Amino acid sequence: MEERIDGVHVPTVSYKTGTPLCNISNMDLFSSSSAENNLATAKTVLSAVAAVQLGPPKGLFSSFSSFRSASSWFELYAAFSTFMMLFRTAINDLVPHQLRSLIVSKLKSLFSDRQSNSLVRLEIDHYWDGQSNLLYHASKEYLPARITHTYKSLKLGILGKHKNVFLAIDDKQEVVDEFEGVKLRWKLTVKDQNSKSFDNVVNDSFTLSFHEKHREIVMSRYIPHVLRTHEAMKAERRIVKIHSLNSSRWKKSDLAHPATFDTLALDPELRQSIIDDLERFLKRKELYKKVGKPWKRGYLFYGPPGTGKSSLIAAMANYLKFDIYDLELTRVSSNSDLMRAMSDTANRSIIVIEDIDCNKEVHSRSKTSEDSDFDPDSDSESIPKTAKVRKRFTLSGLLNYMDGLWSSCGEERIIIFTTNHVEKIDPALLRPGRMDMHINLSFCKPKAFRILASNYLDVQGQHPLFEEIEGILEKTEVTPAILAEQLLRNEDPDVALAEVLKFLREKETETKQKESTRAIVEK
């Protein structure tokens, strides 16, 4: 069927069974660009769309299967495509280009403003108030672990004596992280080289962006998550440092000592008790806070030379991943220098004062004044001026750091004293709260010797010479250091143990002769 609309023949929509929804096969859409033909074609399309929107007339459902045919859908699609093409052409012809550009820019601005208003941006500067920002460093090490294969721009390097390869992000691409279903975007901003804020260093920063509705999750859980993850990563790959005092400043280097609890020639029960005490200390931060005590622990290692005091310190540092601060008291000139040096030590560290009995300032106050550097009660004329040496520091100054007000200047610290003569040290320095655990590192016993034999000779289990060696060790005083030197002299286990047995027999004979001589003298 056809009808006239403004003098133009327009095909009408037929709902007769088996006929197409609309018929435009005979229409020449692009034969003329006249407004009259365009208008006629538009009316044709509008008639088809109107027929679809108004719904089929009565009796259409009886021929629904025909309507769903592929040709019907194709013809409907063709009609709609034609309409959109003509609509776009009309817009381009009737609306000036400048007006179209203005409308598009306004729409983009509207949607971008809505999106930006819903975003929160946190700026994490490298330096904050003249100090290095810990959150910046945590983010810098946390983000490379969140990089996926889609990230195309990375920094790569090996630093100093480290063997690991380090990754770092740059300012060319965002890093997207996901936490509890929330997407967070990180972007490194490299500031202009001319804008230096602290110590002549460029103040770079990270920008963290997220939706405003997730603010509570980010501030209360995500930021602490970044800090915790960073601490775990740092502890895992951390290289323990040893610090020595030099001109009132700490100088650090890598701790190369390979000692571990597995390699120490310690009685297994004593070794386990030390490990348990360390683990208990690490877990009790809240308890120390609750009872009002600084979070620190004191150990006294005493025993003859060569019993492994220094090796035990290194094993503790390697086990805890704590830095060592080796405080040599002879380099301390006054109490104020002592306090300054102690306050410059970091948390999670071991402060060591070795051979503390060699410092007369900490000798027992019950001793006579002849043990001190300068006796203020002596006759000044009878003492040469060169002998009037002013004390480097006082015992009270050291005690004040141990459990006085200065003891709270740091936390999660371990303080270790070592001595060969515990009886010389003032008891006030050794009481609980200052030196909490006293560990006697004595001469080598059978169980400790088994560990030495395993470490040096790979001897596991029993050996025919063990019984006699261990029998002599029960009666003879020999340090682990001396036995270790004997074991190093030969790589063959049988030969090495035979030499050790020979050495111990000679030592046993020498001990018996000394005891006999002493008994004769006493009689």
Side-chain angles (χ1 to χ4, degrees):
M1 281 179 70
E2 293 183 351
E3 64 175 341
R4 278 184 173 275
I5 301 178
D6 296 334
V8 180
H9 290 282
V10 180
T12 59
V13 180
S14 174
Y15 293 98
K16 185 177 180 181
T17 304
T19 59
L21 178 65
C22 60
N23 184 7
I24 59 172
S25 58
N26 296 325
M27 296 173 56
D28 189 358
L29 299 177
F30 306 103
S31 60
S32 174
S33 60
S34 65
E36 194 174 54
N37 287 340
N38 288 343
L39 180 61
T41 307
K43 289 181 177 180
T44 302
V45 176
L46 289 174
S47 299
V49 174
V52 174
Q53 292 180 344
L54 293 174
K58 186 175 180 181
L60 179 62
F61 289 101
S62 60
S63 58
F64 189 68
S65 58
S66 175
F67 173 77
R68 296 179 59 186
S69 64
S71 61
S72 299
W73 285 110
F74 177 76
E75 290 174 354
L76 179 61
Y77 169 74
F80 181 74
S81 299
T82 303
F83 168 73
M84 292 303 298
M85 189 184 304
L86 294 174
F87 180 75
R88 184 174 180 179
T89 301
I91 290 294
N92 292 335
D93 290 343
L94 299 176
V95 180
H97 174 72
Q98 294 82 353
L99 180 58
R100 294 200 308 272
S101 300
L102 179 62
I103 294 173
V104 171
S105 64
K106 291 295 183 182
L107 290 175
K108 287 183 177 179
S109 176
L110 175 64
F111 286 106
S112 63
D113 288 343
R114 287 184 177 180
Q115 184 177 9
S116 61
N117 289 337
S118 63
L119 287 180
V120 175
R121 293 181 177 86
L122 302 181
E123 196 82 7
I124 304 172
D125 289 332
H126 192 169
Y127 294 97
W128 181 283
D129 195 22
Q131 298 182 12
S132 185
N133 189 349
L134 296 180
L135 183 55
Y136 174 90
H137 294 287
S139 304
K140 185 178 180 180
E141 297 190 24
Y142 168 84
L143 289 176
R146 297 300 180 268
I147 292 174
T148 63
H149 64 279
T150 59
Y151 199 90
K152 305 300 183 185
S153 184
L154 289 172
K155 292 181 179 179
L156 194 68
I158 299 178
L159 306 178
K161 298 180 181 179
H162 296 266
K163 297 181 180 180
N164 298 330
V165 176
F166 289 88
L167 292 177
I169 66 172
D170 57 21
D171 59 339
K172 296 181 175 62
Q173 190 175 349
E174 284 186 340
V175 175
V176 180
D177 191 19
E178 188 167 342
F179 177 78
E180 295 185 5
V182 178
K183 283 194 174 182
L184 306 108
R185 298 182 178 275
W186 290 86
K187 186 72 167 63
L188 174 64
T189 302
V190 178
K191 302 293 179 64
D192 186 1
Q193 293 289 328
N194 296 324
S195 59
K196 298 180 179 180
S197 59
F198 173 70
D199 198 19
N200 206 30
V201 178
V202 178
N203 192 10
D204 298 339
S205 65
F206 285 105
T207 301
L208 173 60
S209 305
F210 53 90
H211 198 280
E212 186 178 10
K213 64 182 180 180
H214 301 307
R215 182 193 296 266
E216 180 64 24
I217 294 177
V218 173
M219 299 303 297
S220 63
R221 298 201 288 275
Y222 179 66
I223 297 297
H225 162 73
V226 171
L227 294 173
R228 286 194 305 269
T229 305
H230 167 250
E231 287 297 328
M233 294 168 60
K234 187 169 63 173
E236 183 178 355
R237 66 170 182 264
R238 183 180 183 185
I239 295 178
V240 177
K241 304 289 184 180
I242 182 169
H243 304 250
S244 59
L245 194 61
N246 186 11
S247 301
S248 300
R249 291 185 178 274
W250 291 105
K251 183 179 179 181
K252 68 179 179 179
S253 58
D254 292 346
L255 179 67
H257 203 299
T260 65
F261 279 113
D262 293 332
T263 61
L264 287 179
L266 279 180
D267 184 270
E269 289 78 11
L270 176 60
R271 177 179 59 191
Q272 191 58 48
S273 67
I274 297 173
I275 294 175
D276 292 342
D277 191 75
L278 292 173
E279 291 290 345
R280 190 162 48 247
F281 167 72
L282 293 179
K283 296 175 182 177
R284 288 188 167 182
K285 178 179 181 179
E286 295 302 324
L287 177 62
Y288 278 86
K289 183 178 180 181
K290 177 183 177 182
V291 300
K293 292 185 62 176
W295 190 17
K296 64 180 183 61
R297 187 80 170 156
Y299 293 87
L300 173 68
F301 298 164
Y302 65 97
T307 52
K309 294 184 285 292
S310 298
S311 296
L312 179 55
I313 294 171
M316 292 173 65
N318 289 327
Y319 181 79
L320 299 172
K321 297 295 185 182
F322 279 17
D323 282 358
I324 295 177
Y325 287 83
D326 186 13
L327 179 61
E328 189 176 346
L329 293 179
T330 56
R331 294 182 177 272
V332 179
S333 59
S334 64
N335 287 339
S336 60
D337 285 346
L338 176 64
M339 296 304 173
R340 188 181 304 110
M342 292 295 199
S343 62
D344 286 342
T345 59
N347 294 337
R348 296 178 61 84
S349 61
I350 300 176
I351 300 169
V352 179
I353 303 178
E354 290 193 279
D355 298 323
I356 192 171
D357 57 282
C358 295
N359 295 272
K360 295 182 179 180
E361 289 80 6
V362 300
H363 282 191
S364 176
R365 286 170 287 188
S366 62
K367 302 291 183 182
T368 60
S369 61
E370 62 183 359
D371 291 332
S372 62
D373 288 335
F374 170 58
D375 183 4
D377 296 329
S378 353
D379 185 2
S380 60
E381 294 181 358
S382 63
I383 302 176
K385 292 183 179 181
T386 56
K388 298 178 182 179
V389 180
R390 188 175 183 179
K391 291 185 176 181
R392 291 181 293 273
F393 62 93
T394 63
L395 176 61
S396 61
L398 187 58
L399 294 177
N400 188 33
Y401 176 77
M402 296 297 298
D403 62 353
L405 294 176
W406 277 94
S407 63
S408 59
C409 65
E411 61 178 18
E412 202 171 3
R413 292 180 177 179
I414 292 175
I415 303 173
I416 298 177
F417 289 170
T418 71
T419 179
N420 298 332
H421 305 283
V422 67
E423 67 279 359
K424 292 184 178 181
I425 303 175
D426 194 297
L429 197 60
L430 304 181
R431 69 167 178 79
R434 292 167 181 165
M435 292 291 102
D436 303 291
M437 190 174 183
H438 295 196
I439 300 173
N440 182 14
L441 297 175
S442 186
F443 299 103
C444 190
K445 295 304 177 184
K447 292 182 179 179
F449 179 76
R450 293 285 185 106
I451 298 174
L452 285 176
S454 174
N455 292 339
Y456 286 87
L457 304 175
D458 291 328
V459 176
Q460 306 293 335
Q462 290 294 332
H463 190 277
L465 299 180
F466 275 174
E467 185 175 354
E468 187 175 357
I469 290 175
E470 292 172 356
I472 298 176
L473 287 175
E474 291 285 3
K475 301 176 291 184
T476 306
E477 295 181 346
V478 183
T479 64
I482 294 176
L483 290 175
E485 176 61 28
Q486 295 293 324
L487 293 172
L488 278 173
R489 295 181 178 182
N490 203 300
E491 296 181 358
D492 185 282
D494 296 331
V495 176
L497 291 175
E499 291 295 325
V500 169
L501 180 56
K502 179 182 177 182
F503 168 80
L504 289 176
R505 285 171 179 169
E506 295 174 355
K507 189 74 174 176
E508 183 182 25
T509 302
E510 181 182 340
T511 302
K512 288 180 179 180
Q513 291 175 351
K514 288 182 179 179
E515 290 176 353
S516 300
T517 304
R518 187 183 303 113
I520 294 173
V521 172
E522 290 176 354
K523 288 181 180 180

